[in-house]
Amino acid sequence: MTLNEETIDFSSLTASRRSTRAFAEREIPADVLDAILADATTAPSWSNTRAFRVAIATGERAARLRQHYGRLFDEEIAAHARKTEDPNVEIPIPDGDYPVRKRYPDEVRPAQIEVAKLLYGTYGVERGDIEGRNRVNRRNVTAFDAPVMGFVFVHEDMLPWSAMDAGLMLQTLFLSAKSRGVDSCPVGILATWREPVEAEFEIPEGYRFITGFALGYADPEAPINAMEAPRPPIQLLEGK
């Protein structure tokens, strides 16, 4: 194989990886998952510190996590509904390490709005349909029923480098997965709550929960998996 052919093959691989939001009921073989995690170790890291940790949930543990996350989500939605009639109702405060629900800066907000329109439009949910939007968002907190749920933690004293390293590791992991026919999706909303992962894993002191992710095989019949978000070019800065 020539270098040019290798380049084309890699470009095809990267182009084929998209966020999957509906998974088939098919488990990932243990040896395949092990190989994906092994490939993720090849990602570069700041001074080779690799100041991040990953938790993986499958089977019954993943089912418990989906149930736990779903319950927290439902409790918050129910509290908001009650508050419309009783202003004294208290809304549960998420215990995540970082504020996931922040307004996007004006510079990047148009991109966020564009992909949101694509996402909810694919589900047939109108802007004012609160119940429909909640139904779609609940799919996120259960990691779209993927057979593998992942959770990423970064060392707070190594930020921002630990977060950069975690991102490099995740993209390597996602591409390795795709090369083996396994689909993926980063699921940042899972970091809204820390309680579910605390109940299932021993998290070292000083590590903060930054994102979740899903791995599995895409459901070929799900319309949402045909959604393709734009991929604009890298914005290069002009020289002075």
Side-chain angles (χ1 to χ4, degrees):
M1 179 179 290
T2 67
L3 178 60
N4 186 55
E5 288 173 332
E6 291 175 354
T7 303
I8 292 173
D9 286 346
F10 181 74
S11 296
S12 298
L13 172 64
T14 57
S16 68
R17 199 225 72 83
R18 289 188 177 272
S19 293
T20 294
R21 294 180 174 85
F23 291 89
E25 293 183 3
R26 177 185 172 191
E27 298 295 327
I28 301 175
D31 61 328
V32 174
L33 183 56
D34 288 344
I36 292 169
L37 292 171
D39 282 346
T41 68
T42 66
S45 168
W46 185 273
S47 294
N48 205 35
T49 51
R50 304 183 185 275
F52 56 82
R53 297 292 182 269
V54 178
I56 296 291
T58 61
E60 293 183 1
R61 174 167 283 142
R64 288 196 302 269
L65 281 159
R66 284 192 289 269
Q67 184 178 37
H68 198 158
Y69 271 107
R71 175 173 58 80
L72 292 174
F73 181 86
D74 292 342
E75 288 174 353
E76 185 174 358
I77 295 302
H80 278 289
R82 292 196 304 273
K83 196 173 182 65
T84 60
E85 300 178 358
D86 180 1
N88 295 318
V89 170
E90 293 188 6
I91 306 298
I93 299 176
D95 67 342
D97 294 320
Y98 300 106
V100 174
R101 299 162 181 165
K102 292 177 64 177
R103 178 182 171 86
Y104 289 76
D106 290 343
E107 179 186 357
V108 299
R109 186 165 166 76
Q112 178 259 327
I113 292 174
E114 180 182 22
V115 79
K117 288 180 177 178
L118 276 173
L119 176 66
Y120 291 113
T122 303
Y123 280 112
V125 174
E126 299 293 336
R127 179 178 176 82
D129 182 0
I130 302 301
E131 289 187 5
R133 293 171 75 89
N134 287 338
R135 187 169 59 253
V136 170
N137 288 332
R138 196 182 194 283
R139 294 278 299 148
N140 284 267
V141 303
T142 60
F144 315 106
D145 296 328
V148 174
M149 295 177 71
F151 307 89
V152 182
F153 305 84
V154 294
H155 200 299
E156 61 180 342
D157 291 338
M158 276 293 291
L159 288 169
W161 322 122
S162 54
M164 177 187 75
D165 287 357
L168 291 166
M169 178 276 298
L170 275 178
Q171 177 66 343
T172 305
L173 185 150
F174 291 161
L175 290 178
S176 172
K178 190 62 182 178
S179 75
R180 292 173 168 80
V182 176
D183 297 290
S184 59
C185 188
V187 192
I189 196 174
L190 294 178
T192 305
W193 300 274
R194 186 173 168 122
E195 176 187 322
V197 287
E198 286 277 9
E200 296 289 343
F201 300 99
E202 295 289 342
I203 304 169
E205 184 176 354
Y207 280 83
R208 299 291 174 254
F209 185 20
I210 194 169
T211 190
F213 63 91
L215 292 176
Y217 298 97
D219 178 354
E221 304 300 323
I224 190 61
N225 287 338
M227 189 193 98
E228 295 188 359
R231 288 174 168 171
I234 300 295
Q235 296 189 39
L236 300 177
L237 299 180
E238 298 289 340
K240 291 185 177 180

